[in-house]
Amino acid sequence: VNARFVAAVSGALFAVGLALSGMTDPGKVLGFLDVAGAWDPSLAFVMGGAVGLHFLWLRFGSQPSATSSRNVDARLVGGAAIFGVGWGLSGYCPGPALTSLAFLRPEAIVFTVAMLAGILVFRLTSRPRLASESSSVEPEPAQAIDIIRTAQSD
Amino acid sequence: LLALAGLLVGYGTQLGNGCTSGHGVCGLSRLSLRSLVAVLTFMLVAAVTVFLTRHVFTGASQ
C-alpha cells in the first residue's frame, strides 16, 4: 500500500481519536493532571489503550526496527520537565494542539504558534549535534551492517 | 500565559526528544527506559504545575 496513503489515513484516525477521547479539551487534560482536585483519570485509559495496542503490534505485527538508546541524560529529563510545565499550564501538548487547529479555537492557534516558536528557538540556539555525539539515536541494524561492510572492505 | 506554555512545550519537546505521543505511546510500548523516565518526569512536573496554579496560586494565573 502507498506509504503516503497510510500516513494520511493514520493521521486522520489519530486526530479523530484525540478529539473523541477528550485529549483536545485542555480542561479535561488539566482535570487528568489535577491529582489533588477533582481528579479525572479517564485519559489514562486513552494512553493505556494506545500503548497496549502499539505494544502488541510491535511484538507480533511488524518487523523489528531500530534499537533504542537506554542512555538517560540531563537533556532528556530537563526537556521533559520544561515540557511538563508548559503542558500543566495550558493543557495542550503537541498532537492535540495541532488537531485543535481544526476547531479554529483562538487558544489553540496562539498555543501552536508559540509552540512552533519554541521549536524554532531551540533549533536556532542549540548546536546541531554531530552524528558521533548523538546519544539518543543508534544506527538501525541495516545501517550498522553497511558500516561493518565498509570497514571490512577497507 | 498560553503563549508562554506553547514556547515551553515546543522547546521542551525538542530538548527532550519527544512529547506525550512520542515518548508516552511509542516509547513506552517499545519498553524504552528513556521514554519511561521522560513520561514520569513530564507527568510529575505537569501535575505539580497544575497543583500550583489550581490550589496554591489560585486566581493568579487563571
Side-chain angles (χ1 to χ4, degrees), chain A residues 70-129:
Chain A
R70 302 185 66 78
N71 179 24
V72 174
D73 51 15
R75 187 190 147 105
L76 175 78
V77 176
I82 293 172
F83 174 88
V85 174
W87 193 33
L89 283 177
S90 64
Y92 280 116
C93 56
L98 288 177
T99 308
S100 301
L101 289 180
F103 301 138
L104 297 176
R105 232 189 268 134
E107 307 94 82
I109 296 171
V110 170
F111 180 89
T112 304
V113 170
M115 180 176 84
L116 294 176
I119 293 172
L120 198 66
V121 167
F122 178 82
R123 293 275 165 95
L124 293 176
T125 53
S126 66
R127 288 176 302 116
R129 290 192 294 167

Side-chain angles (χ1 to χ4, degrees), chain A residues 54 57-58 62-68 138-142, chain B residues 30:
Chain A
H54 191 218
W57 164 251
L58 290 175
S62 72
Q63 300 286 320
S65 61
T67 54
S68 57
E138 286 180 5
E140 293 192 26
Chain B
R30 294 167 50 98

Side-chain angles (χ1 to χ4, degrees), chain A residues 30 34 36 47 51 54-55 58 65-66 69 71 75-76 79-86 88 90 93 107 111 114-115 118 122-123, chain B residues 2-3 5-16 20-21 24 29-30 34 38 41-42 45-47 49-51 54-55:
Chain A
L30 292 178
D34 190 5
M47 191 172 223
V51 170
H54 191 218
F55 177 76
L58 290 175
S65 61
S69 165
N71 179 24
R75 187 190 147 105
L76 175 78
I82 293 172
F83 174 88
V85 174
S90 64
C93 56
E107 307 94 82
F111 180 89
M115 180 176 84
F122 178 82
R123 293 275 165 95
Chain B
L2 212 53
L7 273 173
L8 292 174
V9 167
Y11 193 87
T13 305
Q14 291 290 302
L15 185 65
T20 329
S21 314
S29 51
R30 294 167 50 98
R34 275 174 61 84
T41 304
F42 66 61
V45 172
T49 305
V50 170
F51 180 77
R54 284 202 170 174
H55 303 289

